Amino acid sequence: MSARVALTTGDNRADMAFRALQPFAKQIKQSIGNKLVVLKPNNVSIDIQLAATHVDTLEGILEFLKSINKLKNVVIAESAAAGPTFDGFKNFGYFRMVEKYQVKLADLDQEKYDIIHVFDEKDFRPHPVRMSDMLLSAGSYVVSVARMKTHDRVLATLSLKNIVFGAPIKDAGFAYGPNRKQGTRIDKPIVHGSGFRGINYNLFALAPRLHPDLSVIDGFEGMEGNGPNNGTPVDHRVCVASTDWLAADRVGIELMGIDFARVGYLNYCAQSNPGAADLSQIEIVGEPVAKHIKHYQLSKNLENQLIWMKPVS
């Protein structure tokens, strides 16, 4: 087997995340070493809990880090897409973890950044994007704390996409809607590459530099339909974890009942072989995948999303 993925089920998010990480305890502790541990939630929204990482999942991970004595240098860091990052932290109850575990919170929009260029399908030119230095740094051990959700551009968003689209930053004061400060901008849409082909290619191209070191995918309550913001809940009660992000995302896609061949960016990544995407080569630790598959309803624009599979006319 080329990769291991843990799958847990239950009625307690924190406990499920903790148990999913235990099989990798020795490897994770060794890999962290003296690095900064960056827990990256998926807060695409700052006020819709179904669209954002639940505080209980983070708590389970923090309890695990405590159990391996790696809680001294931990930050929960995000660049929320829809508004001020700390508003989301407050709305979703993250501040109590700062007090309980003595960890830090960080708004990636206020931290250092590097410039990375991405592809745009309209002009085939490189476009500069401000990307979080913390997520790019070799001194960071990046944990993607993702939520199992469908997506309106790439079918599904799991652990890789959480990191790649968390990295582009925005100006202070930016928000969608009337509260936007005049003149402010956000760089995340640039990575969309002006279309379904562009976003799939950019996710693939950025993966070597922006993949997580550890993936935790919370499927306790997934999102189906018009994700990543406006979908509806799925009572799934699963949690996926792995030190191989592609294997974790591959198992997540299977659990969602999605045909892997339709997910462009993950197929591109599988072709370059940064991890295991063949289920026959993935050792499942814990629950059998087949017993916990639910067929998530996909976005209404599914046919448009699949244009990446067709030749450019």
Side-chain angles (χ1 to χ4, degrees):
M1 298 291 181
S2 61
R4 287 197 305 158
V5 174
L7 174 59
T8 57
T9 61
D11 296 320
N12 183 299
R13 266 193 176 96
D15 176 67
M16 288 162 59
F18 184 93
R19 287 187 289 113
L21 291 168
Q22 282 183 308
F24 309 102
K26 184 177 180 180
Q27 180 183 354
I28 293 170
K29 184 174 182 177
Q30 184 176 14
S31 296
I32 291 174
N34 295 320
K35 293 182 177 180
L36 172 68
V37 179
V38 182
L39 303 187
K40 165 62 177 72
N42 180 11
N43 293 355
V44 63
S45 170
I46 60 170
D47 51 19
I48 302 172
Q49 178 62 86
L50 185 62
T53 296
H54 200 283
V55 65
D56 291 350
T57 305
L58 289 165
E59 184 154 12
I61 297 169
L62 290 170
E63 282 291 339
F64 168 78
L65 291 172
K66 181 180 178 182
S67 75
I68 62 169
N69 197 29
K70 289 296 180 182
L71 200 57
K72 294 180 180 179
N73 194 20
V74 178
V75 59
I76 299 169
E78 174 63 304
S79 165
T85 297
F86 269 76
D87 286 5
F89 288 166
K90 179 181 178 181
N91 292 338
F92 302 135
Y94 288 10
F95 284 101
R96 68 176 172 84
M97 288 189 300
V98 175
E99 299 174 4
K100 183 174 181 180
Y101 296 99
Q102 297 299 300
V103 297
K104 298 176 182 177
L105 297 175
D107 179 357
L108 295 175
D109 299 329
Q110 306 302 315
E111 302 288 332
K112 294 179 181 179
Y113 65 84
D114 294 333
I115 300 294
I116 293 183
H117 290 78
V118 299
F119 166 82
D120 190 287
E121 66 176 59
K122 286 187 175 180
D123 61 13
F124 286 77
R125 294 176 181 271
H127 291 256
V129 180
R130 296 170 297 169
M131 295 274 195
S132 163
D133 179 74
M134 188 183 295
L135 294 180
L136 288 163
S137 174
S140 296
Y141 183 85
V142 178
V143 184
S144 180
V145 192
R147 192 151 187 170
M148 206 170 277
K149 299 188 294 182
T150 53
H151 198 274
D152 59 4
R153 288 183 174 89
V154 292
L155 272 76
T157 173
L158 297 166
S159 72
L160 174 67
K161 188 175 180 302
N162 178 37
I163 303 303
V164 172
F165 273 89
I169 65 168
K170 62 185 184 297
D171 294 334
F174 177 88
Y176 288 105
N179 294 326
R180 178 178 179 177
K181 183 180 178 181
Q182 187 175 2
T184 58
R185 63 188 177 95
I186 183 172
D187 283 14
K188 297 182 193 298
I190 304 172
V191 187
H192 289 165
S194 294
F196 300 109
R197 289 188 176 94
I199 189 173
N200 277 291
Y201 184 81
N202 283 333
L203 279 162
F204 155 72
L206 292 169
R209 293 196 64 184
L210 282 167
H211 63 269
D213 299 294
L214 175 63
S215 298
V216 181
I217 305 171
D218 170 29
F220 187 87
E221 185 179 44
M223 177 187 283
E224 66 178 357
N226 296 318
N229 281 305
N230 302 312
T232 53
V234 178
D235 185 12
H236 203 166
R237 307 203 176 215
V238 293
C239 183
V240 173
S242 182
T243 54
D244 185 317
W245 67 264
L246 182 55
D249 281 6
R250 177 66 184 92
V251 170
I253 292 293
E254 194 72 11
L255 287 165
M256 296 171 77
I258 298 173
D259 181 359
F260 182 73
R262 291 179 151 194
V263 186
Y265 69 100
L266 291 180
N267 274 266
Y268 295 159
C269 290
Q271 290 174 30
S272 64
N273 198 31
D278 182 349
L279 287 176
S280 69
Q281 296 299 309
I282 299 174
E283 177 189 354
I284 303 298
V285 181
E287 293 286 325
V289 173
K291 284 182 62 177
H292 299 284
I293 294 173
K294 292 207 171 187
H295 292 273
Y296 282 47
Q297 179 183 346
L298 299 179
S299 178
K300 292 178 181 178
N301 69 343
L302 173 62
E303 291 306 314
N304 291 333
Q305 293 189 60
L306 297 179
I307 194 171
W308 73 269
M309 303 178 75
K310 302 174 183 177
V312 177
S313 56

